[in-house]
Amino acid sequence: MIAAHNNQAMKILLIEDNPADARMIREMLADSLDFFDLQWVELLSRLPECRNGAPFDSVLLDLNLPDSQGIETFDTVQARLPGIPIILLTGRDDEEAGTHAVRRGAQEYLVKGKVDAETLARCIKYAIERNRLINELRNETKEVEESKQRLHSIIETNFDGFVIVDQQGRVQFVNPSAMKMLDCKKPGEIIGTPLGLPVVSGEKTEIELISHNGGSVTAEMRAKDIQWAGASAHLVLLHDITGQKKMEENLMRLATVVEQVDECILITDTKGNIQYVNPAFESVSGYESEMVMGRNPRLFQSGKQPEVFYSRLWNTITRGNVWKGRFTNKKKDGTLYEVEATISPVKNAAGDITNYVAVKRDITEAQKTQMQLRQAQKVEAIGTLAGGIAHDFNNILTAIIGYTEISMQQLPEDGPIKSNLDEVYNAGNRAKSLVKQILTFSRQANEERVIMQMKPVVNEVLRLVRSTLPTTIEIRGNIAGRTYILADPAQIHQVVLNLCTNAAQAMYEEQGLIEVGLEDTELDGAFVAQYPEISPGPFVMLTVRDTGCGMTDDILENIFDPYFTTKTLDEGTGLGLAVTHGIVKSHAGLITVASEPGKGTMFQVYLPSVKHHSEGQTVKRQPMPRGSERILFVDDEAALVNVGKKMLSNLGYRVETRTSSHDALNIFKSDPGGFDLVITDLTMPHMTGDVLAQELVKTREDIPVILCTGFSKRMTEQKAKEIGIAAFLMKPLIMRQIAETIREVLDNRQTSANRYITSSERQKR
């Protein structure tokens, strides 16, 4: 491509297959034109598209190209680049072809070698100027035609009808609009016939014209005496007011809508003085219209928005713009409510602002619903986050609890370090329970109900709460209940914690007392008659009493509703008591509340007791089962591999470890009979634990696999069982738990049709 660039360059397209000719033409142009931009293409197929206006001022075209010959070349270029002047510049001096091309629209026909630079430049300039003049003439002609059409359209579509009648009332002239109103198709149908209307000069009359098809036109008729064809006559003007009548009806309909709509509508003058309010405004605000007429809307300001807020609002509407937004208003009785408003300027025909109209909607309840939705979304987000946290945290707890257990086994029972490690171990188990609670709350873990005592859970919560309460709040516990319940420990922990937290918040930053009691009780028929959802019998009763601010009856009616809260946004979500109520109900229990403003609140939770075989018995803890089999332990975290090896070695097992699932599979394949059991983590890079287990089984069908995970949405105990996993364990791994699981898996295999042979026996064979 040959090109020269300048901001004021003449844009020229050269279509020429001969590079030497192209260079020559470029040099000629350079000698004769001050500025030009030459774009060169060798083939017609490379012709640029012409879109959204002409990209070139002129085209220099060689008719004979490798991919197109003769006049067809010109036709193609003209079609592809419409409106751009084309100058034929060819090596053949063919006068007939040149004349033919000029007749078809070419600007010039020039022969290479017979044209000098000045001639070429002049032809280009003349072609561009000629094309400009043609376009201007074409545009002017088009404008004249459009003006004539507009004038004709104005005459033909005049809304008013003009009729001229003589002194005898006969029609002498009628325009198209009048013909339409008088229900005639041609002037000849009515010219010379009586108009049939009472014509009185100087009077304005409203008439109704009925057509043959039953339609009607309402018109305003006026008449004036005139001279027509040398004689006295009347000019009758028929102004169609059918639309005006309909508009009046629409205005009446609109007024009815404004009066009956639920949205508050308020109209002010340009100074902001109220001129109109609709009944909905009266209903919402509590002000009658007479009380606010002539007053400024600042009467309703709540003080929640700063002055700059209203200044910006006023600046927006006084500039003629529409303001949309939300603010807090105050009712006549002082109640605050949230408003969503659109305030618009009302302009007259001249564009001047005459009024402002505000359309307001009470969104107090809608905002509460929106807040509830946001809180639900936060809870959902917490649930999503909880799964990832649980996986990593349970891995950490596995190392903490595991090394603690190993260390405890190596110390004497009565040593001080052993006592300290007991606390570490207990704290690790509490952390394990806490992770489970988070997963349960976020619906990431299945509910697991076991026969349990509430006493340890309540004591644990009291220890936790004491560490977080300010010194101004005292907490006392009277934990006496010993019977058992069927419940999810994590959910019971949440119930106790929610009630204690709620009690603490009732007297935060003030002195107060929280009393927590747990006792066994028997509910008789008289008591349960008040609460048909429970049955008589033995129950465990949890009592949480505080000396806080107490609650009024209207608050008590709603405390168990989701998202209902008297707290600020940074103090709570309104979910705590709702969740507590749901948990208690799901456990076939009952929760009651008694409160009085200024005297505190008491919650009582009743959960049904169940029989337990160990009641009244002392259960002797059995020693942890041991073994000597060979185990392959796989986890991608080195810390967990190390603690796992030490735990299993302390139990007597021979342990081989790997941190890569591929390495584990390779070592197993190298000696399939050398292992009695494989324990593998689920979540590992490159190959997950469940896939590894399936590959192991392909190598040796009877190899038992225990699958472990800190958290997984996709894998459950049931799914693990379906793919042949012998046992499914949740981290953190407790030594007793893994010891009992290993023995159970291996012993079951050994008794299964006498098929199982240990690795030691295999080596002997």
Side-chain angles (χ1 to χ4, degrees), residues 24 42 49 101 131 137 236 259 293 387 420 460 520 574 706 745 762:
M24 178 190 71
E42 300 172 275
E49 292 290 339
N131 191 64
L137 180 61
V236 180
E259 290 288 309
M293 287 299 151
N420 293 340
E460 181 183 339
D520 301 329
I706 297 176
V745 169
R762 284 192 180 90

Side-chain angles (χ1 to χ4, degrees), residues 632-650:
L632 176 58
F633 190 92
V634 190
D635 198 298
D636 61 315
E637 292 196 25
L640 300 189
V641 167
N642 293 336
V643 72
K645 183 172 183 178
K646 289 183 179 181
M647 289 171 66
L648 298 179
S649 297
N650 285 356

Side-chain angles (χ1 to χ4, degrees), residues 34-77:
D34 293 334
F35 302 105
F36 68 94
D37 183 347
L38 182 67
Q39 182 174 340
W40 169 42
V41 295
E42 300 172 275
L43 300 174
L44 200 61
S45 59
R46 297 179 182 174
L47 193 65
E49 292 290 339
C50 178
R51 296 176 180 174
N52 301 324
F56 303 103
D57 297 311
S58 66
V59 178
L60 300 179
L61 173 64
D62 185 356
L63 289 178
N64 298 309
L65 300 173
D67 56 351
S68 180
Q69 299 289 322
I71 198 66
E72 291 182 359
T73 305
F74 171 78
D75 292 340
T76 301
V77 174

